[in-house]
Amino acid sequence: MKSINFKLFNDRTFSDCLINFAGYEQCKPGHSFGPAIRPCYIIHYILSGRGKFFCSDVEYDLKENTAFLIEPTSMTFYQADFEKPWHYLWIGFKGEKVPEILRRMGISSDNPILHGEKNNLISITEDILATDSSGLKEELKRQSLLYYFLSSLCPDTMYSESIRQSTELKNNDYLVRAIEFIQNNFYHPIGVNDVSSHLGISRNYLFTLFKNSMGHSPSEFLTYCKLNKACHLLDDSALSIENVAYSCGYESLSVFSKAFKHKYGLTPSAYRKLKYENDTMSDLEFNRFIKRIDK
């Protein structure tokens, strides 16, 4: 890739979700933007280097293979590191269905960090930038690439394979709504009773739905969502351990620490320290490393 490339588009065929611009840049040390409010949704994906992103009064220390979302109503600021400035690509988009798409992806200004496959996103961005700026054929191509870009960042969960294979899930609106409710609200202090009350079904019936189709209880799924988010916050943000606990829906630091250690074999502070000391490892490599330590 070149050091910088950028292109604006004036697509009008689609209103649900359409692309505004795309580009990439090797930033200079300390390069920054903001504080500012942007006119559309923007996702930056870091190819190399590192930097800081400030959103909703939270500071995130970000590195390669990590993306951050900017919403049009949010005041944000971001800055490249002075020693290892980031090289990132970005895509700007808007549309009537974008809030719903992002909600279902589980990202917002309160949860703005994503992870994706570098080579895939580079290829998609280069294909977008290679299109002409006009013509229906080119708009159709950009539209497909925009959705491909978003799908490449759409997070999977540990249950994704069982979810895809579950006939009961596909045919059970209660289960779909329960999963979406948990994924969109786990950072609040909710419990299984809140999920069943939201759906208007009994706790026992909800438990049966989860166990039969996913092999896990709704409580286990809720805990997974909370702790998975906690790992990302411990890695990517400057939040204190206590604030990480509250940001993941735990009302007590002790309850959070106990749940975290039960799953990972480490306290949250020990996890953060170990992650920092093994900064060059990918998330997959680090997770395998953690499992070896726990044994």
Side-chain angles (χ1 to χ4, degrees):
M1 301 180 77
K2 301 177 182 177
S3 60
I4 184 170
N5 194 359
F6 176 70
K7 186 176 285 189
L8 292 166
F9 303 105
N10 190 33
D11 294 359
R12 299 179 180 179
T13 303
F14 306 95
S15 60
D16 286 350
C17 182
L18 67 155
I19 190 168
N20 295 97
F21 51 80
Y24 53 80
E25 180 179 7
Q26 174 62 66
C27 296
K28 295 181 180 179
H31 170 76
S32 64
F33 189 93
I37 294 177
R38 309 302 291 271
C40 64
Y41 295 88
I42 307 173
I43 291 177
H44 288 74
Y45 181 83
I46 304 165
L47 303 172
S48 62
R50 58 173 61 246
K52 294 183 181 293
F53 174 57
F54 298 82
C55 178
S56 298
D57 297 322
V58 178
E59 174 186 333
Y60 299 89
D61 292 306
L62 302 179
K63 57 187 179 181
E64 64 180 294
N65 302 329
T66 305
F68 57 93
L69 169 73
I70 295 175
E71 292 186 314
T73 57
S74 299
M75 182 74 73
T76 60
F77 172 80
Y78 51 97
Q79 183 175 46
D81 188 74
F82 284 90
E83 295 183 359
K84 296 181 179 179
W86 49 23
H87 181 191
Y88 54 36
L89 57 83
W90 66 86
I91 187 167
F93 55 102
K94 62 182 179 181
E96 299 168 1
K97 290 290 186 179
V98 171
E100 179 183 351
I101 292 171
L102 297 180
R103 178 186 63 79
R104 295 185 65 183
M105 289 176 66
I107 56 172
S108 66
S109 57
D110 293 323
N111 183 29
I113 309 304
L114 300 135
H115 300 269
E117 175 57 44
K118 180 192 298 184
N119 292 335
N120 202 31
L121 293 167
I122 290 175
S123 176
I124 295 169
T125 304
E126 288 181 332
D127 286 346
I128 291 173
L129 293 171
T131 62
D132 196 333
S133 59
S134 62
L136 177 60
K137 182 175 180 179
E138 299 294 278
E139 280 195 43
L140 290 169
K141 183 176 182 178
R142 277 193 296 274
Q143 190 70 12
S144 66
L145 290 168
L146 170 59
Y147 285 125
Y148 189 20
F149 187 97
L150 293 174
S151 72
S152 297
L153 286 170
C154 188
D156 292 323
T157 73
M158 64 187 290
Y159 305 98
S160 58
E161 189 62 32
S162 59
I163 287 175
R164 282 194 295 269
Q165 294 176 353
S166 172
T167 302
E168 182 174 353
L169 175 60
K170 295 175 183 177
N171 297 326
N172 195 308
D173 183 58
Y174 283 131
L175 196 52
V176 173
R177 289 165 56 199
I179 291 170
E180 290 188 349
F181 181 80
I182 291 172
Q183 290 177 330
N184 294 327
N185 294 282
F186 68 84
Y187 46 85
H188 297 302
I190 64 170
V192 176
N193 286 335
D194 297 295
V195 182
S196 60
S197 296
H198 173 74
L199 299 176
I201 59 178
S202 71
R203 181 186 176 110
N204 288 339
Y205 181 52
L206 180 66
F207 178 87
T208 301
L209 289 177
F210 270 81
K211 290 294 286 186
N212 288 348
S213 63
M214 301 174 68
H216 298 275
S217 71
S219 178
E220 289 171 330
F221 182 70
L222 175 59
T223 298
Y224 166 77
C225 291
K226 289 174 178 287
L227 295 182
N228 186 54
K229 176 61 177 176
C231 287
H232 289 307
L233 288 177
L234 290 169
D235 184 23
D236 299 328
S237 79
L239 288 174
S240 68
I241 303 298
E242 186 173 18
N243 285 335
V244 168
Y246 296 150
S247 298
C248 297
Y250 288 96
E251 295 183 301
S252 165
L253 177 57
S254 61
V255 172
F256 166 61
S257 296
K258 183 178 180 180
F260 194 94
K261 187 172 183 179
H262 178 73
K263 179 170 177 60
Y264 297 107
L266 295 168
T267 64
S269 57
Y271 176 94
R272 172 176 270 173
K273 182 176 183 294
L274 198 62
K275 185 71 172 177
Y276 178 79
E277 292 172 347
N278 296 275
D279 186 50
T280 58
M281 286 188 180
S282 68
D283 289 340
L284 180 58
E285 291 171 334
F286 185 74
N287 288 336
R288 289 172 177 168
F289 181 55
I290 288 291
K291 290 178 180 178
R292 289 200 300 271
I293 290 177
D294 193 24
K295 290 179 180 178

